[in-house]
Amino acid sequence: MAGRAAEEMVFGETFASVGAQKDIESATTQAWSYAGRYGFDGFTGAITSKSNDNEFEIFNREKIGEITEALLKDAKEKAKSLLHTNLKFYQTALNVLLENGKMSPKEFATVATSFNIPVEEVKSGEKVMLG
C-alpha cells in the first residue's frame, strides 16, 4: 500500500495512477489470507469463495472482506505516516527517480545512507532491506 500512498502524496488521491495495481492485488491477497485462510484477526475457520456446498469450509466472504479492507486501510495510513515522518528522505528519493526515470537499488541505498538510514543487502537479487 506504500506505492499508492506515495503516489497520492505526489499527485493527489484523484490523480494517482494504476501503477500500484500489482502491489494492491498482492496486499489484498495477503490480507484476505491472514484472516480467511490462516485464522488471524479474531476469525477462526477457512473461508471459501466457492458455493455453500463445500464441507469443512465457512462461506463468510463479507466478514473477511471487512477485515481485509480494514487491514489495507491501516497499512496505507501507516505508509502515509512513515512517508510524512521521513519526508526529506522521500522527496530526495523521488527527485532522483523523476530525474532518471528509474532508481536502482544501489541509488536507493545511497540516498538512504545519506539520511543515516542503515541499508542491508538481501541475497535475493538486487533488493535492499532498510534496517
Side-chain angles (χ1 to χ4, degrees):
M1 300 307 296
R4 175 51 54 91
E7 278 194 15
E8 289 178 5
M9 283 180 67
V10 174
F11 305 113
E13 194 170 323
T14 306
F15 298 106
S17 76
V18 296
Q21 176 186 356
K22 289 290 183 190
D23 293 339
I24 292 170
E25 287 175 6
S26 176
T28 302
T29 299
Q30 290 175 35
W32 179 277
S33 294
Y34 175 78
R37 182 176 295 158
Y38 307 125
F40 291 112
D41 209 270
F43 197 87
T44 305
I47 302 301
T48 180
S49 59
K50 303 170 191 160
S51 73
N52 285 331
D53 297 336
N54 297 315
E55 293 183 35
F56 311 113
E57 292 181 329
I58 300 167
F59 189 76
N60 192 345
R61 293 170 54 185
E62 186 176 317
K63 178 64 176 170
I64 298 303
E66 291 170 8
I67 293 169
T68 299
E69 187 171 1
L71 288 168
L72 295 174
K73 284 181 178 180
D74 184 55
K76 185 176 173 184
E77 289 306 312
K78 285 180 180 175
K80 283 182 179 181
S81 177
L82 282 169
L83 289 168
H84 283 291
T85 299
N86 298 286
L87 189 58
K88 291 291 183 191
F89 164 69
Y90 173 56
Q91 289 171 328
T92 303
L94 181 60
N95 285 333
V96 171
L97 178 62
L98 292 173
E99 286 174 15
N100 301 328
K102 62 182 181 175
M103 185 177 203
S104 72
K106 187 174 183 176
E107 290 170 318
F108 184 84
T110 300
V111 173
T113 55
S114 74
F115 283 87
N116 296 319
I117 298 172
V119 176
E120 179 182 326
E121 184 176 352
V122 177
K123 295 295 181 188
S124 60
E126 288 192 73
K127 296 181 180 180
V128 294
M129 177 179 278
L130 301 178

